[in-house]
Amino acid sequence: MGKKIKKEVEPPPKDVFDPLTIESKKAATVVLMLNSPEEEILAKACEAIYKFALKGEENKATLLELGAVEPLTKLLTHEDKIVRRNATMIFGILASNSDVKKLLRELEVMNSVIAQLAPEEEVIIHEFASLCLANMSIEYSGKVQIFEHGGLEPLIRLLSSPDPDVKKNSIECIYNLVQDFQCRTSLHELNPIPPMLELLKSEYPIIQQLALKTLGVITCDKESRTMLKDNQGLDQLSKILETKELNDLHVEALAVIANCLEDMDSMVLLQQTGGLKKLLSFAENSTIPDIQKNAAKAIAKAAYDPENRKVFHEQEVEKCLVTLLGSDNDGTKIAASQAISAMSENSSSKDFFNTQGIPQIVQLLKSDNEEVREAAALALANLTTNSTANANAAAEADAIDPLINILSSKRDGAIANAATVLTNMAIQEPLRTVIQSHEVMNALLSPLHSTNTVVQSTAALTVAATACDVEARNQLRMCGGLEPLVELLNSKNDEVRRHASWAVMVCASDELTAVELCRLGALDILEEINLSVSRKNKFSEAAYNKLLNNNLSLKYSQTGYLSSSNIISDGFYDYGRINPGTKLLPLKELCLQELNDQRAILLVNSKSDISPPPSMEDKSSDVGYGRSISSSSSLRRASKEKSTAGFGSPTEEKSEPTSGRNTVLSRGTTKEKGSRKGKGKKEEEKVKEEEEVMAMPKMTESSPDKEWYPPLDPEFCVYVFEVTKSILPIVNIKDQIEALAKYVADKMGGRIPKEKLSDFSWELHISELKFQLKSNVVPIGYIKKGIFYHRALLFKALADKIGVGCCLVRGEYSRAWNEVKLLNEGRKGATGSLPPPEEFIVDLMFHPGALLKLRSKEADLYRFL
C-alpha cells in the first residue's frame, strides 16, 4: 500500500464572517438583535423576548422603553414562518399593557395582526393573534380599528377552531366588539348564532360564560333573537337552567332569556313548551340571589309588552313576584318591584296586587337602601295610577308617612315616584286630608327647589293635587313654597311649566295666596308665557285668568271686561286701559303720586271708617248674596260726620228714606223739585258745590309712622245704604235694574240727551275734583257729573253690593257700559222649556233705565256713537 497523504483543509473565503456564538444577559442587547437580517437570530431574539415578557408587567414596560415594539411590528409580516410566529406570540403578551396598546394603535399594525388569523396559519399563531386582538378590543379606539380592518369575520370563523384557547380568545374579542352598536348591527350578516350555540357545549366554563354573555348583548336586537329561536337556542338555554351542575351559567342564561321574552313569538314558544312555567318556578324556588334577580329582570323586560303581560298573568306571575319581594337580597327586591311596576299596566294584575302586593311594597318604602325605596315607590306609583282601590290600600298600609319621608331623599327618581303616589292618593278628599295633616307642603319645599325637571314636574303636580283647601294653601304660603313654584313658571321644560301653571291656578283660589303670587311676579310671568305661541298652555291661561279674578283692578285695566262673577270689592280702582306687559302700580303709590294731567283714577271704597269693625249689633248682613251691608246707624253717622272726617260732599246731606223704596228714583218727584226750585236754585247749588269742594282735604297727606289706608268715600257709603234699603227689596230683577240705572244717573248728573252730550262739562268737574283733592285718585262717590265710564263703574259697584248680576265692559273714547241677562218668561220654546236669557245693555245716559238689546242698532249707538 502506498503512503497516505494528509489532505489540507481549505481556508474559508476571505469575505465570509466566521460563526460567532454570543450569550447575552441584557434585554437591550437582544432588542438590538431584532434589526438583524438573519432569520435564525431574529427567531432566537423573539423567543428570548417572549420569555422575558411573560415574567411580568415590569418587563413589558422595559421592552417598550427599549424600543422593542416598532421593530417587532415589522416582523409580523416577515417571510420566515418561525420569525412571524414568535413575533405574534410576543404581541399576544405585550398587548395587555395599556401603553403598548396605545403605541400599536399609532403604528397601525391591526391589519398585520388580523392577517395572522388566515386559515393557512398555524393554530399557535391563531391563538396569540386572537389574544392580541382580545386585549386591543378592550378600549373603544381598538374596537374601531378591528372593525374597520374587517376583524369580525375571521374571529367568527375561529369560533369553530379545534383549539380551546383560540375559541376563548375569539369569543372574548367578539364580546368586547359587540358592545359597540355598529359592530353589533354588522354581526347579523356573518351568522354568528350557530357557532356561539356550539360553544355552550364546551367543556370549559369560561368559554360557555363568554358565549352566554355575548348572546346576552346581541339578543338585544330583534334579528338576533329571531336567529336564536330559529336555531333552537331557547331549548339549549332551558336545558342549562334545568341542569343543576351548570348553576354557574344560570345567571347569564337568564339574561339571554330575558331578551328573548320581549318577542311575543319567543314568549308563546316558551309557554307552549312549558319553559315559561319552569322559569317562574325556577325563579321562585332558587336560593341564589343573582338568579332570582335576573329572573325578575327578565319578567320586567318582557312585561313592557301588553301581550306578554297577558301571558304572564295567565301563568300567575304575580305570586312569584310577591314571593321575590320577601327576598333578603336588595337586588332581588329592586328587580321584583320593577317587574310589579311593569305588570301593573295590566288591570287584572293591578287588582291582584291590591291585597297581596301593596302591603309588602309599603314595607320596602322604609328600607335603608335608597335604591330599594326608589323601586318600591315606582311600583306603588304605577299601582295607584287610576286606581282608587289601590290608593286606599296604600293608605291603609300606612304608606303616607314613608312617602313623605322619601321626598327628602337624595335620589331624584325616588322623590319623583313618591310625589306621584301622593298625587294619586290626593285625588280622594279623605286621603288628601290625611296627607295634609302630615305637613306635606313643608316636605314639598325641597323638591320644588330641585334642578331635576322630572322632580320639579311631579312636585308641582303634587302641589296642584294637595292645595285644594284654604288651610293647605296657607301652609304652602307660610313655609315659602310659593316662591319656588313661581320660579318653575320660567322653566324651559313644557311639562314643568304646565304643572307649575296648574298649581298656581289651584293656589290662586283664595285672595291672600293670589295676592302673594302676584307680588312674586306670577302674573307677569304668566302674561309673558301666554304671549308666546310655543310656551303657553291651557293651564297658563287659566292660571292667569284666576289671578286676574283676584286682582280685578288689573283685570279691568288689561282686558276691559268684568263678568257678573267678578264682584267689585272695596279698594277696586279703575286706572284706565293699559297695554299688555305694562305694570299697574298699586293704589298706595298712585295715591301718593304728584298731581298730573292724566285721566283720573276712579276708586271704589264703601268702608265708612278705619276703626276696627263694629260689633254684630251694628251690622246687618245680606244673607242672600253673602255680603255685609253697613247698618243704617253707621251710614247715618258717616253722612253726618263728613265734615269731621275731613271729606266734604259736593251735595247736600240726605236724610234716611222712610220707606223701602228710595223716593229719589221717582221721575215725578224729580220734575216737581226742578219746577219748584227753578234756575236760581240751580245757580245756588253750583256755588254751594264749589264751596264744598274747596273744603276737601288733600289725599296725599300721610304720616310715614301711620298705617296707610285708601281714601274714604262717605258718599258711596250712603249710596250703598240707599240702594240696599230701596232697591234690594224689589222682587223683579228687571225692575231692580231699571231702578238702579235711574239712581246712578241721578247721582251722576241726570239724563243727558244725545244732542247735549258735547255740552256736558264733566271734564272740568273731574279736573276740579283732582285739584281740590290734590290727588289723581278720585273716589267714585265724589263725582256728580259722570260720563259713560263713571256711570258704568258706579252701576257695577252698586249692583254687586245688592246681588244684581251685570258685566262691566270698557269701550273706546270714554265709553263703558253694563251688560245684563234677563229671562223672557212670557215666551217658551217648542218643547215648553224656557228660551235662553236675552242680553241687554243698560242705558245710564240718554234714557236712564232703558234696556237695549245687545245686538240692536240702539245698543250700537249707545256704545259707539
Side-chain angles (χ1 to χ4, degrees), residues 102-175:
K102 182 179 178 182
L103 182 56
L104 288 176
R105 289 195 299 269
E106 293 173 358
L107 295 173
E108 296 184 356
V109 299
M110 205 62 69
N111 202 35
S112 301
V113 177
I114 292 172
Q116 307 307 310
L117 302 179
E120 61 271 12
E121 295 291 349
E122 297 178 13
V123 172
I124 193 166
I125 293 181
H126 288 168
E127 177 188 344
F128 284 96
S130 58
L131 178 60
C132 177
L133 293 177
N135 287 324
M136 294 291 291
S137 64
I138 294 172
E139 297 177 3
Y140 175 74
S141 51
K143 291 184 179 73
V144 172
Q145 285 192 355
I146 295 171
F147 176 73
E148 289 178 348
H149 287 87
L152 263 177
E153 185 177 0
L155 286 167
I156 295 291
R157 188 181 67 250
L158 290 180
L159 292 180
S160 303
S161 172
D163 186 81
D165 289 322
V166 175
K167 291 179 180 178
K168 183 263 180 187
N169 295 337
S170 299
I171 190 63
E172 184 176 2
C173 185
I174 293 170
Y175 172 70

Side-chain angles (χ1 to χ4, degrees), residues 451-729:
T451 56
N452 183 288
T453 54
V454 177
V455 174
Q456 292 173 347
S457 175
T458 52
L461 193 58
T462 307
V463 171
T466 53
C468 299
D469 307 298
V470 175
E471 186 178 348
R473 292 192 287 269
N474 288 339
Q475 287 180 5
L476 184 66
R477 188 178 69 253
M478 296 300 291
C479 74
L482 293 180
E483 189 172 353
L485 188 62
V486 171
E487 284 297 318
L488 294 183
L489 293 173
N490 289 312
S491 173
K492 295 180 180 178
N493 183 281
D494 290 343
E495 189 174 89
V496 173
R497 199 165 54 248
R498 183 166 58 251
H499 288 169
S501 300
W502 190 348
V504 168
M505 181 190 73
V506 173
C507 291
S509 297
D510 63 84
E511 188 176 354
L512 282 175
T513 309
V515 169
E516 180 66 11
L517 286 167
C518 291
R519 187 189 70 79
L520 293 170
L523 200 61
D524 297 333
I525 298 170
L526 287 167
E527 182 181 5
E528 182 186 348
I529 290 172
N530 292 333
L531 290 174
S532 169
V533 177
S534 60
R535 297 178 67 209
K536 72 176 181 180
N537 56 74
K538 290 182 179 179
F539 289 114
S540 67
E541 293 173 342
Y544 181 72
N545 291 329
K546 198 78 172 282
L547 285 174
L548 279 183
N549 287 337
N550 283 283
N551 192 341
L552 294 183
S553 301
L554 178 60
K555 180 176 182 177
Y556 189 50
S557 292
Q558 284 194 348
T559 66
Y561 180 81
L562 294 181
S563 69
S564 57
S565 62
N566 296 142
I567 307 301
I568 290 179
S569 59
D570 294 332
F572 174 89
Y573 58 100
D574 176 14
Y575 180 83
R577 190 189 307 275
I578 61 173
N579 296 322
T582 306
K583 188 175 181 181
L584 180 66
L585 294 176
L587 180 61
K588 180 179 180 181
E589 290 186 34
L590 294 171
C591 286
L592 300 177
Q593 278 183 345
E594 293 293 328
L595 192 64
N596 56 45
D597 57 357
Q598 295 179 2
R599 174 191 183 281
I601 299 158
L602 307 181
L603 172 66
V604 176
N605 186 16
S606 64
K607 291 182 179 177
S608 58
D609 52 44
I610 58 174
S611 60
S615 64
M616 290 303 292
E617 289 125 13
D618 295 333
K619 285 189 175 183
S620 62
S621 176
D622 178 8
V623 178
Y625 298 100
R627 299 184 196 84
S628 296
I629 306 297
S630 301
S631 68
S632 59
S633 60
S634 63
L635 287 168
R636 281 200 301 273
R637 185 168 65 253
S639 178
K640 290 177 182 178
E641 296 176 357
K642 280 181 277 187
S643 57
T644 59
F647 291 93
S649 172
T651 58
E652 296 178 344
E653 269 188 19
K654 294 180 177 59
S655 60
E656 179 183 345
T658 56
S659 64
R661 291 180 181 270
N662 192 345
T663 55
V664 298
L665 298 178
S666 169
R667 287 187 180 180
T669 308
T670 307
K671 288 180 180 178
E672 189 180 339
K673 286 183 180 179
S675 61
R676 238 187 1 251
K677 292 183 180 178
K679 292 183 179 179
K681 183 66 177 176
K682 288 181 180 178
E683 291 176 358
E684 289 177 7
E685 285 180 351
K686 184 176 181 180
V687 172
K688 185 175 180 181
E689 179 182 320
E690 291 174 353
E691 289 174 354
E692 288 180 344
V693 168
M694 292 294 289
M696 293 179 187
K698 297 178 183 179
M699 289 191 182
T700 54
E701 293 178 358
S702 63
S703 171
D705 298 331
K706 294 182 179 180
E707 186 178 353
W708 182 87
Y709 294 97
L712 300 179
D713 191 353
E715 282 295 326
F716 183 66
C717 294
V718 174
Y719 294 170
V720 173
F721 173 75
E722 290 178 348
V723 299
T724 303
K725 284 291 184 182
S726 61
I727 299 176
L728 180 60

Side-chain angles (χ1 to χ4, degrees), residues 220-232:
C220 291
D221 301 325
K222 187 174 180 61
E223 291 182 20
S224 295
R225 292 196 293 268
T226 304
M227 291 173 64
L228 182 73
K229 179 172 67 69
D230 294 342
N231 285 277
Q232 288 74 47

Side-chain angles (χ1 to χ4, degrees), residues 175-212:
Y175 172 70
N176 292 336
L177 290 174
V178 295
Q179 307 297 323
D180 180 63
F181 176 75
Q182 191 176 7
C183 295
R184 197 160 63 244
T185 53
S186 301
L187 196 65
H188 302 147
E189 304 168 2
L190 304 175
N191 195 25
I193 299 295
M196 288 184 188
L197 291 175
E198 282 298 316
L199 294 183
L200 297 181
K201 301 173 184 177
S202 173
E203 57 182 304
Y204 298 97
I206 184 63
I207 294 177
Q208 293 173 310
Q209 284 183 346
L210 286 169
L212 285 171

Side-chain angles (χ1 to χ4, degrees), residues 23-35:
E23 184 178 337
S24 176
K25 294 185 179 180
K26 296 290 184 182
T29 305
V30 180
V31 169
L32 293 175
M33 294 168 65
L34 294 175
N35 294 308

